[in-house]
Amino acid sequence: MFPQRLDSPQAYGIAKAMMDGFNRHYRLFRTESARSKHRFETADWHGQQRAQRERIEFYDLRVKECTMRLEKEFKADSLPMDVWHQVKLHYIGLLVNHHQPELAETFFNSVTCRILHRTHFHNDFIFVRPAVSTEYIENEEPEARPTYRSYYPSRENLFETMLTVVDHFQLQREFEDLHRDVRHVLAAIQGRLDKARLRANFQIQVLSSLFIRNKGAYVVGKIINGFHEVPFAFPILHNDAGQLYIDAALFGEDDLQMLFSFARAYFMVDMEIPSAYVQFLRSLMPRKPRTELYNALGLAKQGKTLFYRDFLYHLKHSSDKFRIAPGIKGMVMLVFDLPSFPFVFKLIKDYYPPQKETTREQIKGKYLLVKQHDRVGRMADTLEYSEVAFPRVRFDDELIAEIEKFAPSQLEISDRDGDGQQEVIIKHLYIERRMIPLNIYLQEAFDTGMQDPRAQQQMERSVIEYGNAIKDLVAANIFPGDMLWKNFGVTRNGKVVFYDYDEIEYITDCNFRKVPQPRNEEEEMSGEIWYTVGPHDVFPETFGPFLLGNDAVREAFMRHHADLLDVEFWQSHKERILAGHVYDVFPYDVSRRFSHAHEDRGI
């Protein structure tokens, strides 16, 4: 431990420069998020998609800028460690009364790690644990907008109150019929209040900023009555004439969990105090980890920080071992898990079978594509880490042997801290939420027997969801590439999500073709492909033999999704996307839409 001294003006200058770097980052991040409201009002869907992609890059760009400044102005990479200890203490002082202290601490960690070129630190140099509380942070400026607004209606003026809720967002676009929409919302609310006595604390709390993603803007809040709290969200969309309308009323934790799913793109939200938004959202979804809420708000680096802290805490309070993940092994990715922890760890192998013509950089590019793209609830978000250390004692020997065989360049085993405890260091990996592989989920139904109605229902629902997942991906301009059942997973809510990204392509980059008619008997009887196939050629009619070997699965698939085997389905959607059309893919069941809502779902 270094002495607690603050006698270096150089240390203060570094701390101030780092704080300036973070403040610049969050100012740009917030400005871009706030602009999403104007893009929504003007139906600038392509601009919205571009902004969502570009905002993801903001953090790394600002870290790089700050690092370069510190190295140029302070020769920071050659300073002694006691100066860096003082830098941290000065930085803590600058966090007093800051509105985003947890984000600023993470920014400090990123810059410090990059300058010192180290991967292991103790709490003297970086914020292993938070130093400043985020509880009850308020913006005390007179004109500041509160995190949420509270409304206190009676049964008699509930209609007027809901009109006021919408009016407070000051949307610069005319509603088709707001009174009609509010009546629909109230009808949904009344179903929950009709038989309830309104208590003294009856109120509606609504977050002050809209949650904007893709083509929708969401009003998010909760109804409080006595001891009961009901979360809600109201999606606002554009009709074909460019007018606004409220499309549905979502209620309860499950609906909100779907809206904030880890398989969806990040929201654009104008937030002065992000921790206050996270705290409010956790009151709506108490089972949702804070890491996923920060991710959903576009603050992915903070999500990674919290995830790693949660992971270290779990390691300390568990004793099971990392193992090779159950299921069919991948040709490109090596996957392992810790049974007691609800995530899987994926690393890229060093070499692949001949049929996989790819490279490590290409695979990393595919994962980055997914990170930046609209995931429409059908592609799992990933957390990407480098130089991750695990206790060697927690690794199954079979797993170590598997990594040594298939990904030796990604493995280091050493005693870097000199304490006699070996560590496994993985050079680069991705972490995803664990799901039940769809092939295993289907096999469970087959093992039970199709005579059992529940097994039949499980199989049918899985096949329907699988086809819906592919169609949602098509709407987002994504061709999965390898569509085998094993590359899809089933979430806790029964949604089917794609998670194998090494072969994905944009729909618009694919060439969808019919299989040519054989020109002679020799070609017709050939067991080999006798026609030419380009690198981006796709033949949808050939999907069947790979996917539909089981008669029950084939019958269900052909009933609900036979169009996926038709080249016209794929080609028509490619042409619409190329023409600039942006499909609607709703983060809620279509049956939840109000009766006036337009029926064009896009697919």
Side-chain angles (χ1 to χ4, degrees):
M1 176 68 70
F2 295 103
Q4 303 286 313
R5 295 182 300 142
L6 294 175
D7 56 1
S8 170
Q10 191 177 35
Y12 178 79
I14 293 173
K16 182 67 168 59
M18 293 173 82
M19 183 59 74
D20 290 344
F22 169 74
N23 289 340
R24 168 173 159 76
H25 159 66
Y26 196 73
R27 183 170 63 252
L28 293 171
F29 177 91
R30 188 178 177 194
T31 298
E32 194 60 71
S33 301
R35 286 174 180 159
S36 65
K37 181 171 178 284
H38 177 70
R39 288 190 291 266
F40 171 75
E41 291 164 340
T42 57
D44 181 9
W45 310 134
H46 292 290
Q48 200 80 286
Q49 290 175 340
R50 184 169 56 253
Q52 285 180 305
R53 285 195 305 270
E54 291 174 352
R55 193 184 65 166
I56 291 171
E57 304 298 319
F58 280 12
Y59 186 87
D60 286 339
L61 289 173
R62 301 294 87 76
V63 168
K64 184 177 180 180
E65 282 178 6
C66 187
T67 301
M68 292 174 64
R69 179 187 172 187
L70 295 183
E71 290 175 344
K72 181 179 179 180
E73 292 185 19
F74 300 93
K75 302 294 186 287
D77 53 346
S78 60
L79 292 174
M81 288 299 102
D82 61 338
V83 173
W84 278 104
H85 182 239
Q86 293 174 39
V87 169
K88 182 185 174 186
L89 296 176
H90 281 298
Y91 198 81
I92 291 172
L94 295 172
L95 291 174
V96 175
N97 296 325
H98 201 282
H99 290 165
Q100 305 94 31
E102 77 283 23
L103 308 186
E105 289 179 353
T106 293
F107 188 85
F108 180 95
N109 289 353
S110 297
V111 174
T112 302
C113 291
R114 183 168 293 197
I115 289 175
L116 300 183
H117 308 295
R118 296 190 181 186
T119 54
H120 286 71
F121 297 83
H122 49 74
N123 207 36
D124 284 338
F125 301 111
I126 65 169
F127 295 95
V128 176
R129 294 179 299 276
V132 177
S133 171
T134 58
E135 295 293 315
Y136 306 112
I137 298 176
E138 295 288 345
N139 187 344
E140 303 295 346
E141 297 173 11
E143 300 301 316
R145 185 173 58 189
T147 297
Y148 63 89
R149 297 187 178 98
S150 296
Y151 306 84
Y152 304 95
S154 63
R155 286 192 190 275
E156 290 71 29
N157 70 358
L158 194 52
F159 181 85
E160 289 76 15
T161 301
M162 292 307 300
L163 288 174
T164 302
V165 167
V166 177
D167 185 60
H168 268 153
F169 292 106
Q170 299 181 315
L171 283 161
Q172 303 301 301
R173 174 71 68 152
E174 181 183 275
F175 272 81
E176 178 184 352
D177 188 343
L178 182 57
H179 285 67
R180 175 203 63 193
D181 295 349
V182 169
R183 285 193 295 272
H184 280 292
V185 171
L186 289 185
I189 291 175
Q190 292 293 359
R192 296 168 178 272
L193 296 180
D194 268 348
K195 298 180 181 179
R197 183 190 297 274
L198 299 190
R199 302 296 179 181
N201 70 336
F202 177 62
Q203 61 188 283
I204 298 173
Q205 295 181 354
V206 180
L207 285 164
S208 296
S209 289
L210 289 166
F211 285 64
I212 296 173
R213 182 174 64 198
N214 303 330
K215 296 171 72 175
Y218 298 83
V219 178
V220 178
K222 60 184 173 182
I223 301 168
I224 300 174
N225 188 38
F227 298 112
H228 299 287
E229 296 188 2
V230 181
F232 68 78
F234 306 143
I236 301 173
L237 305 179
H238 286 244
N239 66 16
D240 294 337
Q243 298 167 307
L244 303 179
Y245 65 97
I246 299 175
D247 188 55
L250 311 178
F251 289 105
E253 183 179 1
D254 285 346
D255 278 0
L256 271 291
Q257 289 261 27
M258 294 289 285
L259 184 61
F260 286 83
S261 167
F262 65 89
R264 297 198 176 274
Y266 309 133
F267 284 105
M268 293 271 194
V269 190
D270 179 16
M271 303 171 292
E272 170 68 18
I273 305 172
S275 61
Y277 272 72
V278 169
Q279 183 176 337
F280 190 98
L281 291 170
R282 286 212 80 194
S283 74
L284 311 183
M285 299 170 281
R287 292 177 295 171
K288 195 99 176 145
R290 283 187 305 149
T291 179
E292 290 187 15
L293 292 174
Y294 274 103
N295 286 343
L297 295 171
L299 299 165
K301 190 63 179 182
Q302 187 63 22
K304 284 179 63 174
T305 295
L306 291 175
F307 175 86
Y308 197 61
R309 287 172 180 166
D310 289 343
F311 171 63
L312 293 177
Y313 187 81
H314 181 86
L315 275 183
K316 189 175 181 65
H317 295 85
S318 61
S319 58
D320 54 334
K321 290 192 173 187
F322 292 96
R323 60 174 186 177
I324 301 169
I328 300 172
K329 293 180 181 179
M331 288 187 282
V332 168
M333 306 296 284
L334 190 156
V335 185
F336 64 94
D337 71 355
L338 186 68
S340 63
F341 194 60
F343 292 84
V344 296
F345 302 79
K346 304 170 69 170
L347 60 152
I348 304 171
K349 293 181 178 180
D350 285 352
Y351 53 89
Y352 328 106
Q355 63 266 39
K356 290 285 187 180
E357 296 180 4
T358 188
T359 66
R360 178 178 300 278
E361 291 308 312
Q362 287 174 333
I363 294 166
K364 291 170 73 173
K366 303 287 189 183
Y367 275 79
L368 179 61
L369 183 158
V370 172
K371 172 69 71 175
Q372 296 176 337
H373 201 76
D374 176 12
R375 294 189 295 280
V376 293
R378 298 299 188 175
M379 292 190 286
D381 195 10
T382 56
L383 299 172
E384 184 177 5
Y385 290 89
S386 299
E387 300 286 342
V388 183
F390 304 87
R392 171 62 181 89
V393 70
R394 299 295 295 275
F395 267 65
D396 185 88
D397 290 341
E398 185 182 358
L399 172 57
I400 292 292
E402 188 85 352
I403 300 174
E404 288 176 336
K405 180 178 180 181
F406 292 105
S409 72
Q410 298 301 297
L411 178 67
E412 177 187 339
I413 301 176
S414 68
D415 178 12
R416 296 206 294 191
D417 291 333
D419 58 2
Q421 301 296 317
Q422 281 195 324
E423 290 180 319
V424 172
I425 294 96
I426 303 296
K427 303 292 185 181
H428 179 264
L429 57 75
Y430 298 98
I431 301 175
E432 291 176 2
R433 180 165 283 280
R434 181 194 288 135
M435 291 172 275
I436 304 172
L438 184 54
N439 62 308
I440 292 177
Y441 193 73
L442 281 171
Q443 191 59 51
E444 290 173 356
F446 299 145
D447 291 344
T448 302
M450 287 296 99
Q451 299 79 17
D452 187 323
R454 288 173 299 181
Q456 174 69 28
Q457 185 182 35
Q458 178 172 322
M459 182 278 296
E460 179 118 358
R461 186 174 62 244
S462 300
V463 172
I464 293 171
E465 262 292 289
Y466 167 79
N468 288 341
I470 293 173
K471 290 177 177 179
D472 285 346
L473 290 173
V474 171
N477 193 22
I478 291 292
F479 176 63
D482 191 343
M483 300 201 305
L484 294 176
W485 305 94
K486 70 181 180 67
N487 296 326
F488 293 76
V490 182
T491 70
R492 180 178 62 86
N493 294 317
K495 290 277 286 185
V496 168
V497 173
F498 183 59
Y499 53 58
D500 191 337
Y501 305 142
D502 58 276
E503 290 191 17
I504 65 170
E505 299 285 352
Y506 290 119
I507 292 287
T508 48
D509 287 342
C510 295
N511 180 28
F512 297 100
R513 294 176 55 191
K514 287 183 68 70
V515 174
Q517 290 294 320
R519 293 165 297 185
N520 51 53
E521 185 177 354
E522 183 180 11
E523 289 181 348
E524 185 174 6
M525 300 302 293
S526 173
E528 303 294 328
I529 295 176
W530 47 267
Y531 47 88
T532 59
V533 178
H536 294 286
D537 285 352
V538 179
F539 299 88
E541 62 196 283
T542 65
F543 296 164
F546 296 99
L547 302 176
L548 309 177
N550 180 280
D551 290 342
V553 167
R554 181 178 183 83
E555 192 276 330
F557 184 92
M558 296 304 291
R559 231 177 330 114
H560 297 282
H561 297 301
D563 50 352
L564 289 175
L565 305 182
D566 182 0
V567 69
E568 292 301 321
F569 168 88
W570 300 87
Q571 189 60 34
S572 64
H573 289 295
K574 173 183 174 178
E575 289 169 0
R576 290 193 74 184
I577 294 169
L578 285 170
H581 182 75
V582 178
Y583 285 103
D584 291 304
V585 181
F586 304 111
Y588 43 90
D589 195 272
V590 178
S591 64
R592 302 295 297 275
R593 303 183 71 193
F594 294 144
S595 57
H596 68 270
H598 301 273
E599 294 303 322
D600 177 19
R601 185 166 183 262
I603 288 188

